[in-house]
Amino acid sequence: MEIRQLRHFVAVVTEGSFTAAARAELIVQSALSTSVRNLERELGAELFDRTGRRVVLTEAGRALLPQARQLLAGAEAARQAVAQVSGLGAGRLAIGTIQTLTCVDLAGELAAFHREFPAVQVSVREAPVEELIDGLRAGELDLAFLAPDARRLPDGLAPFATWQEDLVLVTAPGHPLAAAGRTLIRDLAAEPFIDFKAGTGLETAVRRLAAHCGLERRITCDVTQIGLLVDLVRAGIGVAIVPRRIGEAAGLPCVRIRQPEPGRSIVLAGRAPRPRNPAAGALLDQLDRLDRFDRLDQLDRLD
């Protein structure tokens, strides 16, 4: 059994298909399929049910998954220890992020990181909050930008940075609210809303705001991509509540919401007390030098 085979097996589970896993591992699909087949042959059991169109773990596959993740985490820790000694001349950095991140220029920060540490391979996963938390816990992610559903992070995770994002109502150009420039929550009861996917940090923040103000939104459409949400708002299908920078970047009217003025917290989290991966530590230090966030020393400072 080889570490490479276990990595390919976990990649199929994480990415949801052999095709996506091969793309993530930067190899051709036939090579990845052969690697998994060899692993199955060595273990004497099939790990995936290939009879349907979806990739489904067999009982043997489910039994192997936690062990494989543990072995891969151990192997990665060994690699990172060597990389640390050699001054990050090698290694990997796995970052998770919510889709609607606007408080950090992630592409710009990763570009700056790459210029300083070009030999470190960076992987970025965009997913709902719970999936990112699971990735942190499993050791698949070093850091993740979250919009947590609770005031405190789950045990074993620590906040390394926090931001506050303003939320605004976006409308189609020419909408009556666009001219007013501001609105009260209670005045939105008759408006059709376009909602983001349930389970995302944005959906949670908007749902909480509506519940707090007693607003029963009329959802006419829900989507999983923020770009599509913006296009639907522009087309006049409904209004939506989004981070201000998303509305401004889209060129849509941004209507200020009063009583209360909405916002949400974004947290950069990792495993406590500090990432063991030196590449993750280097990224945190880079952000700290740029003075882009306030470090948190205690979990209860999220309250």
Side-chain angles (χ1 to χ4, degrees):
M1 185 186 307
E2 300 178 4
I3 291 295
R4 173 179 53 84
Q5 293 171 326
L6 293 175
R7 192 176 72 245
H8 293 164
F9 163 70
V10 172
V12 174
V13 176
T14 301
E15 301 297 331
S17 72
F18 281 75
T19 301
R23 187 162 50 245
E25 289 295 308
L26 303 177
I27 62 174
V28 297
Q29 183 175 337
S30 59
L32 184 134
S33 297
T34 298
S35 177
V36 173
R37 282 291 190 191
N38 289 338
L39 178 61
E40 290 175 321
R41 188 177 301 111
E42 186 170 349
L43 293 173
E46 290 192 349
L47 302 174
F48 297 102
D49 183 353
R50 297 174 173 83
T51 58
R53 300 181 65 180
R54 297 176 55 195
V55 171
V56 179
L57 282 170
T58 62
E59 286 298 320
R62 280 191 285 271
L64 175 63
L65 183 58
Q67 301 299 325
R69 283 174 166 164
Q70 183 176 353
L71 287 170
L72 288 175
E76 184 63 20
R79 279 193 292 265
Q80 295 301 337
V82 174
Q84 187 173 28
V85 172
S86 60
L88 287 174
R92 292 187 177 191
L93 173 61
I95 302 292
T97 181
I98 54 175
Q99 189 181 150
T100 55
L101 180 70
T102 63
C103 55
V104 173
D105 178 7
L106 184 57
E109 298 298 352
L110 292 181
F113 180 85
H114 175 70
R115 286 193 293 271
E116 187 168 357
F117 306 108
V120 176
Q121 180 180 344
V122 178
S123 173
V124 180
R125 183 191 303 180
E126 187 179 86
V129 173
E130 287 304 316
E131 290 185 27
L132 296 176
I133 289 175
D134 288 344
L136 287 172
R137 283 172 159 171
E140 297 168 359
L141 296 175
D142 298 301
L143 299 168
F145 291 92
L146 309 173
D149 189 28
R151 289 185 177 274
R152 295 176 64 89
L153 291 173
D155 291 342
L157 300 184
F160 299 119
T162 186
W163 300 260
Q164 291 295 318
E165 283 189 334
D166 293 331
L167 300 178
V168 298
L169 184 81
V170 290
T171 73
H175 191 286
L177 288 173
R182 62 180 62 188
T183 186
L184 300 176
I185 284 287
R186 64 170 181 260
D187 294 335
L188 301 177
E191 293 292 334
F193 271 82
I194 301 170
D195 205 14
F196 209 44
K197 178 183 177 182
T200 62
L202 179 58
E203 186 272 341
T204 299
V206 174
R207 175 165 41 82
R208 279 180 171 175
L209 174 66
H212 176 73
C213 298
L215 172 66
E216 294 186 10
R217 291 177 299 150
R218 180 162 60 93
I219 308 298
T220 59
C221 185
D222 60 87
V223 299
T224 60
Q225 294 294 320
I226 196 66
L228 179 58
L229 180 145
V230 165
D231 290 341
L232 292 173
V233 170
R234 184 179 288 110
I237 293 178
V239 300
I241 297 176
V242 300
R244 177 180 293 278
R245 291 184 183 178
I246 288 179
E248 292 174 345
L252 292 175
C254 295
V255 181
R256 178 183 172 188
I257 301 173
R258 302 175 59 195
Q259 295 180 338
E261 294 186 2
R264 66 169 179 173
S265 295
I266 303 297
V267 176
L268 178 59
R271 291 181 295 283
R274 181 175 171 85
R276 288 182 295 176
N277 183 345
L283 180 61
L284 286 176
D285 291 341
Q286 171 189 307
L287 292 170
D288 194 29
R289 289 196 302 270
L290 293 173
D291 198 25
R292 298 277 177 92
F293 61 72
D294 295 324
R295 282 201 183 267
L296 298 178
D297 296 323
Q298 302 294 331
L299 284 170
D300 57 10
R301 289 184 62 186
L302 284 172
D303 292 341

